[in-house]
Amino acid sequence: MDPTTDNAGQTGDPGTARDALEALRAEIAKAVVGQDPAVTGLVVALLCRGHVLLEGVPGVAKTLLVRALASALELDTKRVQFTPDLMPSDVTGSLVYDTRSAEFSFQPGPVFTNLLLADEINRTPPKTQSSLLEAMEERQVTVDGTPRLLPDPFLVAATQNPVEYEGTYPLPEAQLDRFLLKLTIPLPSRQDEIDVLTRHAEGFNPRDLHAAGVRPVAGPADLEAARAAVAKTIVSPEITAYVVDICRATRESPSLTLGVSPRGATALLATARAWAWLTGRDYVIPDDVKALALPTLRHRVQLRPEAEMEGVTADSVINAILAHVPVPR
């Protein structure tokens, strides 16, 4: 057996890793109809070691999407339903007294997984929301002064409902900035919805992905090989300047009170590199930057109230900036 390949068929070859990650779309499509952009966004986040905020109304398969991705990547996944009474220890874990040993032992919380689905994250108070900050940024959890490393890969996929504001706690800008991407999950097209109902009529059970035929097509070794290849993707000085010009333009926009920070510029460069590699290139072009600009930047800007009242959206402002900033040749 080739020493670079394990029993799951994973390999350290970048070309094979790209093929395996491309196969995710077809595998996830066995359970989720459409939503290719969201699948691609989640893969990009995994390649960049980032996290994803999924925004969509209930019933558009956000949970199913994350579970299908975990199954196709052979990764562990856990789900936490965020509620007003959820405590930080319910997410991170806590010390539990063992009467037999007369000692305290650490009981890991659901955050100790590869893919954590934080469902309706804006329904829990800021204290519990902030319990994820250390995990997202430092890849560790500190309980009773002892840091405990989280597994790798580790991705938080948090969901929120865009139309329900009563009884919610909007995420502060500092926490929104920790998410690499904000992906909008739209309602399906008419044909996609017909396909969904047809599958259910034929016996599809969203709680049984194995019966739906979802199989592991990639794994941690493929992700490591892909990350190493993405890190070698060439970024010219002109592309770097283009990313900076886009982000600086958001800070000067009359429609925004808050523009993109340098962290956001770094995130856009990282996602553009990942997208370039996924599409088969070892260098970044302006179209890669444009392709990832909306999901990478839309949650990092803040609209002026008067602009919001006029129907202006973060996406429309970013699109206008992309049309205005000169493209390098």
Side-chain angles (χ1 to χ4, degrees):
M1 180 182 288
D2 187 337
T4 63
T5 305
D6 65 16
N7 57 10
Q10 299 166 8
T11 175
D13 178 63
T16 306
R18 183 190 287 116
D19 293 340
L21 293 178
E22 279 293 317
L24 281 175
R25 294 185 184 184
E27 204 64 25
I28 293 173
K30 295 177 181 177
V32 181
V33 177
Q35 309 299 2
D36 274 357
V39 174
T40 301
L42 286 165
V43 173
V44 166
L46 282 168
L47 292 178
C48 298
R49 291 183 168 88
H51 308 284
V52 175
L53 183 62
L54 300 170
E55 187 171 86
V57 298
V60 290
K62 298 187 293 293
T63 301
L64 181 60
L65 176 62
V66 174
R67 288 180 54 240
L69 177 67
S71 294
L73 279 172
E74 207 168 19
L75 298 176
D76 182 49
T77 182
K78 290 186 174 66
R79 175 179 176 271
V80 178
Q81 180 66 50
F82 279 68
T83 57
D85 60 347
L86 193 73
M87 299 297 291
S89 59
D90 296 330
V91 178
T92 61
S94 59
L95 294 175
V96 178
Y97 185 72
D98 188 340
T99 55
R100 288 175 294 182
S101 63
E103 294 179 348
F104 284 95
S105 61
F106 178 67
Q107 183 68 36
V111 75
F112 286 86
T113 187
N114 296 124
L115 269 67
L116 175 68
L117 179 64
D119 217 355
E120 295 186 295
I121 191 172
N122 57 336
R123 283 203 168 277
T124 201
K127 182 178 180 180
T128 304
Q129 290 176 3
S130 65
S131 67
L132 278 177
L133 278 177
E134 182 188 14
M136 293 170 66
E137 192 68 18
E138 306 297 334
R139 310 282 165 155
Q140 67 178 27
V141 167
T142 301
V143 176
D144 197 34
T146 303
R148 293 172 171 84
L149 293 178
L150 294 171
D152 184 47
F154 173 68
L155 179 144
V156 173
T159 72
Q160 63 179 17
N161 184 343
V163 297
E164 198 168 32
Y165 297 103
E166 191 171 339
T168 62
Y169 303 84
L171 295 175
E173 296 303 324
Q175 187 158 4
L176 282 173
D177 206 35
R178 296 304 199 281
F179 286 98
L180 181 71
L181 299 171
K182 179 181 178 182
L183 304 174
T184 55
I185 310 296
L187 288 166
S189 65
R190 181 176 182 273
Q191 185 56 52
D192 282 348
E193 197 163 1
I194 290 174
D195 291 345
V196 170
L197 267 64
T198 301
R199 289 187 181 190
H200 279 266
E202 293 173 350
F204 171 70
N205 181 1
R207 295 172 182 81
D208 189 354
L209 295 178
H210 185 78
V214 178
R215 301 289 184 271
V217 295
D222 293 307
L223 282 176
E224 279 305 310
R227 287 169 173 176
V230 169
K232 296 176 183 176
T233 303
I234 299 168
V235 181
S236 68
E238 292 78 12
I239 292 294
T240 302
Y242 183 50
V243 170
V244 169
D245 290 343
I246 290 171
C247 295
R248 290 181 68 85
T250 65
R251 301 167 203 163
E252 299 166 2
S253 171
S255 299
L256 302 176
T257 58
L258 180 69
V260 177
S261 69
R263 180 191 285 145
T266 303
L268 180 55
L269 187 63
T271 56
R273 291 178 85 181
W275 176 245
W277 180 82
L278 278 172
T279 52
R281 278 178 282 100
D282 62 354
Y283 57 91
V284 180
I285 63 175
D287 283 349
D288 299 324
V289 178
K290 289 182 177 180
L292 272 297
L294 283 179
T296 308
L297 303 182
R298 60 164 57 110
H299 57 297
R300 304 176 193 271
V301 300
Q302 193 171 71
L303 290 167
R304 291 188 181 278
E306 56 269 28
E308 202 165 2
M309 289 177 65
E310 292 172 2
V312 176
T313 64
D315 284 13
S316 65
V317 172
I318 294 169
N319 279 327
I321 288 172
L322 291 174
H324 176 74
V325 173
V327 179
R329 298 185 180 278

